[in-house]
DNA sequence: TGAAAGCTTAACACTACTGTCAAGTAAGTA
DNA sequence: TACTTACTTGACAGTAGTGTTAAGCTTTCA
């Protein structure tokens, strides 16, 4: 099992073709899952999006569940990365501003990932129980402790740290998940980089000022 | 067709049994659509939730689409009601505070409605094109004009009115749509009325102060 | 009380989708 | 080149779900 020969043979198996095809299928699956959630998505439709015969998908991923898991794990990795950003040593105004900027950048660059996550939560998070009750909870407890530290040090107003985080999440993710509504309301086909810069500036201004971090 | 007799006969038709059954089915459908969206929902599963044989649903609603439309129309009526609240004559601090309070109340009292709307938007709003491009756009233009008036009168900071509205939507709806994540993060089974009051107070404080409406 | 309207239900035909298999083709390596 | 492994594809069986029908039951009210 662990001989050099076996290892080599394994590396042949996971060759370029497999890698490429997996990516194409994953991307098609992301679109489908983002729109319809796990239950509403169909392998047939994913196959059409990916432009491959349906059985190919089963060749690369055992079933719908496994394909979904693969996609979801990628997203969680991305999500965790967006979260490990500010520390107790940072100045709160800058740290919170950067966090908002980062979250909005994610909404702009990875709206599909955000939508899949939203769908998963709407469906009652059946595949994310472990994540929500462990990883996320720990990360969140850490962040809120930092914010509480800033409050105790008199650096900002006494806001419930959890609610501050939820405010940032809600306001920033809205631009990915409700993108269509926003575009429609603004009468735009797409939001440009400049639009996002303006949104970022507005949101940072409201929140930092609202927390007593700037005048 | 319009004779008194016909009218009377029509009123017999829509009797108590029909009314009651329609409500039971509608409520079951709301739950199902909130979790799975239009495509992911199944009439079979709605029938089980409502505790009626499946064909009964077809007796009251022609098909899945019509049932969904009925549910969605109720929600839009509710949504519009949540929107017709502040006017140019109001003091901005109070008006915006009240709007945030109202939106959070909706998230608390009608989370299912909020989730159905979220699902619809995530699926690309195929049934809401008309609403988004007409009703909503008009309402929104009206509200943003009022906010712009307050800004021009020097009553508040120069925030893009559209973005202010979107912040409020995102931050408030988050408590309905992402309720599970929030409960999980806070380690609570349910959010109490007191929790919502605290959330409301925090959010109003951040936003009104952040807009330069209070010190 | 009985006729008409309203409601329920089992059964049917049909479609969409899933997962599997076996036979085939293409790619990679000794 | 010959052999092995990787990949593709059409065909199949099975399940879940939809919408319809026809027959039976219940309620209403003249």
């Amino acid at each position: 099992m662990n001989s050099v020969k076996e290892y080599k043979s394994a590396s042949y198996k996971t060759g370029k073709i497999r890698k490429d095809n997996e990516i194409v299928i994953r991307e098609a699956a992301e679109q489908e899952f983002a729109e319809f959630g796990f239950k509403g998505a169909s392998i047939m439709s994913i196959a059409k999006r990916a432009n491959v015969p349906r059985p190919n998908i089963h060749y690369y991923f055992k079933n719908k569940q496994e394909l979904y898991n693969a996609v979801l794990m990628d997203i969680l990795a991305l999500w965790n990365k967006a979260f490990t950003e500010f520390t107790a040593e940072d100045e709160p105004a800058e740290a919170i501003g950067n966090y908002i900027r980062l979250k909005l950048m994610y909404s702009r660059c990875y709206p599909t990932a955000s939508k899949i996550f939203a769908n998963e939560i709407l469906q009652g998070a059946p595949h994310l129980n472990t994540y929500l009750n462990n990883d996320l909870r720990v990360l969140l407890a850490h962040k809120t402790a930092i914010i509480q530290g800033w409050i105790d040090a008199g650096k900002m107003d006494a806001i419930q740290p959890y609610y501050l985080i939820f405010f940032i999440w809600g306001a920033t993710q809205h631009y990915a998940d409700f993108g269509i509504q926003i575009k429609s309301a603004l009468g735009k086909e797409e939001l440009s980089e400049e639009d996002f810069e303006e949104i970022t500036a507005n949101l940072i201004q409201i929140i930092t000022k609202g927390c007593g971090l700037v005048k």
Side-chain angles (χ1 to χ4, degrees), chain A:
Chain A
M1 272 291 248
N2 294 317
S3 72
V4 172
K5 192 161 182 284
E6 288 291 321
Y7 176 76
K8 256 191 174 173
S9 143
S11 80
Y12 297 162
K13 273 178 200 163
T14 51
K16 195 177 177 317
I17 294 174
R18 167 168 286 263
K19 224 168 146 185
D20 291 351
N21 285 339
E22 275 196 17
I23 289 172
V24 171
I25 293 170
R26 266 179 142 90
E27 281 171 358
E30 277 175 25
Q31 299 296 327
E32 177 81 3
F33 286 131
E35 263 187 52
F36 302 117
F38 178 72
K39 204 177 164 211
S42 88
I43 295 184
M44 240 178 173
S45 166
I46 292 170
K48 271 177 202 152
R49 283 179 198 256
N51 239 316
V52 300
R54 189 178 55 80
N56 285 28
I57 292 182
H58 284 104
Y59 177 73
Y60 290 102
F61 300 92
K62 203 175 86 198
N63 50 32
K64 189 167 143 182
Q65 183 66 66
E66 199 172 88
L67 174 53
Y68 185 68
N69 286 344
V71 167
L72 202 57
M73 287 309 107
D74 282 359
I75 289 169
L76 289 194
L78 201 66
W79 248 223
N80 280 339
K81 242 169 67 186
F83 210 171
T84 53
E85 286 294 324
F86 60 82
T87 67
E89 287 69 41
D90 294 324
E91 268 313 297
E94 206 188 328
I96 288 173
N98 283 340
Y99 184 54
I100 293 168
R101 192 185 314 281
L102 187 72
K103 283 290 290 179
L104 277 171
M105 186 272 277
Y106 269 74
S107 278
R108 175 158 152 71
C109 299
Y110 311 107
T112 310
S114 184
K115 285 177 190 173
I116 293 171
F117 190 81
N119 253 311
E120 173 67 19
I121 300 287
L122 281 170
Q123 299 201 3
H127 310 91
L128 285 185
N129 249 301
T130 314
Y131 174 73
L132 291 184
N133 288 305
N134 298 287
D135 304 37
L136 184 68
R137 214 146 147 180
V138 170
L139 279 168
L140 196 53
H142 183 236
K143 293 304 160 213
T144 51
I146 292 172
I147 295 173
Q148 191 58 54
W150 291 332
I151 294 169
D152 295 341
K155 290 182 173 176
M156 59 181 282
D157 294 349
I159 310 286
Q160 258 292 346
Y162 277 101
Y163 299 149
L164 174 57
I165 300 272
F166 296 151
F167 179 36
I168 296 173
W169 284 357
T172 57
Q173 289 170 202
H174 192 74
Y175 283 91
D177 305 339
F178 287 71
I180 286 198
Q181 187 185 22
I182 286 170
K183 284 177 222 159
S184 170
L186 296 175
K188 297 195 176 185
E189 279 298 310
E190 280 301 323
L191 294 188
S192 68
E193 209 184 313
E194 290 72 41
D195 291 326
F196 265 91
E197 270 165 30
E198 205 185 342
I199 292 163
T200 305
N202 271 275
L203 192 50
I204 289 177
Q205 190 195 332
I206 293 180
I207 294 186
T208 52
K209 184 169 178 177
C211 294
L213 287 163
V214 294
K215 282 290 150 184

